[in-house]
Amino acid sequence: MTVRVLVADDQELVRTGLAMILDAQPDIEVAATAADGLEAVRLAERLRPDVCLLDVRMPVLDGIAATRRLAGPGVARPIAVVVITTFDLDEYVYGALRAGARGFLLKDAGPALLSQAVHAAARGDALIAPSVTTRLLSAFARHDPGSPRRQPLEPLTDREEQVLGELAAGRTNTEIAGDLFISLSTVKTHVGSLMTKLGVRNRVEAAIWAYETGRAGRSTKG
């Protein structure tokens, strides 16, 4: 199945480069490119790509606002968004993730990681650049230290705690299955249960919750 992607970046050289990298993948097609956030939103709403790759800093409408309009909690038909930026601790990334982005990458991530992030978002997974996962999410958790920590609707099982730890480390479903010696379908069941219990919309928010509550970094293998 071919994944259709919209690429939005205000720098023509970067935008063209990203589009060329993605188009070179046999199972990815660049459906459109945009030079600003508003153009990206309009094209995405019209073309309905599988994934939108959005720069954080763009004119007219920035990446945070564009993400919120395409993937925010009030959107009836959300589109998967991956945020891409030059800065691994850019404060705007926090807002983009809160707005519903499923992934976060640096612009120098390389073709393999870029392709993985697009495919993960299309599947409903999330991928955050491994080199910055811990730093980004731990900084995110400290960004608003005064906010109350959400409690799960029901207590997490031991296995759900293990899966949550893996999510916080930026692991994919396949990697979690291998690490915990369980089937892929079982992982998906646990992830779905986690999101329901935590009241979150995606894996990124679940990982953030793990950092906020001090669960990240615990041993996940038991």
Side-chain angles (χ1 to χ4, degrees):
M1 177 182 173
T2 299
V3 178
R4 297 171 64 249
V5 182
L6 180 147
V7 177
D9 194 295
D10 62 323
Q11 298 181 58
E12 183 178 2
L13 187 61
V14 174
R15 185 170 68 250
T16 302
L18 291 171
M20 289 178 63
I21 290 172
L22 293 173
D23 258 337
Q25 307 302 314
D27 46 6
I28 296 177
E29 171 193 344
V30 176
T33 62
D36 63 68
L38 184 58
E39 183 185 13
V41 170
R42 288 173 173 169
L43 284 170
E45 290 176 342
R46 178 164 61 86
L47 300 175
R48 303 295 306 176
D50 299 303
V51 179
C52 290
L53 186 66
L54 304 181
D55 184 23
V56 174
R57 292 174 172 173
M58 291 187 288
V60 186
L61 191 70
D62 64 35
I64 299 173
T67 298
R68 189 174 296 112
R69 287 176 61 168
L70 293 172
V75 178
R77 297 173 62 203
I79 299 174
V81 173
V82 174
V83 170
I84 187 165
T85 182
T86 305
F87 308 102
D88 60 357
L89 287 177
D90 190 325
E91 64 179 356
Y92 293 115
V93 176
Y94 304 142
L97 294 177
R98 286 295 192 202
R102 284 187 183 169
F104 165 73
L105 287 179
L106 298 181
K107 288 183 179 179
D108 62 358
L113 198 57
L114 185 61
S115 176
Q116 289 176 35
V118 166
H119 281 293
R123 292 193 306 266
D125 291 344
L127 188 149
I128 298 177
S131 62
V132 297
T133 297
T134 301
R135 287 171 55 202
L136 174 70
L137 292 179
S138 60
F140 192 115
R142 295 193 303 270
H143 193 60
D144 186 12
S147 61
R149 304 307 182 215
R150 299 187 306 272
Q151 296 302 310
L153 299 177
E154 298 177 29
L156 304 185
T157 66
D158 289 343
R159 182 61 88 185
E160 286 169 349
E161 292 277 7
Q162 292 175 332
V163 171
L164 181 62
E166 294 275 307
L167 285 182
R171 310 289 278 174
T172 66
N173 282 354
T174 300
E175 290 170 333
I176 295 172
D179 287 347
L180 301 182
F181 304 103
I182 56 180
S183 70
L184 187 58
S185 61
T186 299
V187 173
K188 292 179 179 178
T189 298
H190 286 312
V191 171
S193 178
L194 274 171
M195 289 194 290
T196 298
K197 287 184 177 182
L198 301 181
V200 298
R201 293 169 293 168
N202 54 53
R203 298 160 65 95
V204 172
E205 289 188 357
I208 292 168
W209 186 87
Y211 275 87
E212 289 177 337
T213 56
R215 286 168 164 80
R218 294 181 183 177
S219 174
T220 60
K221 297 175 184 179

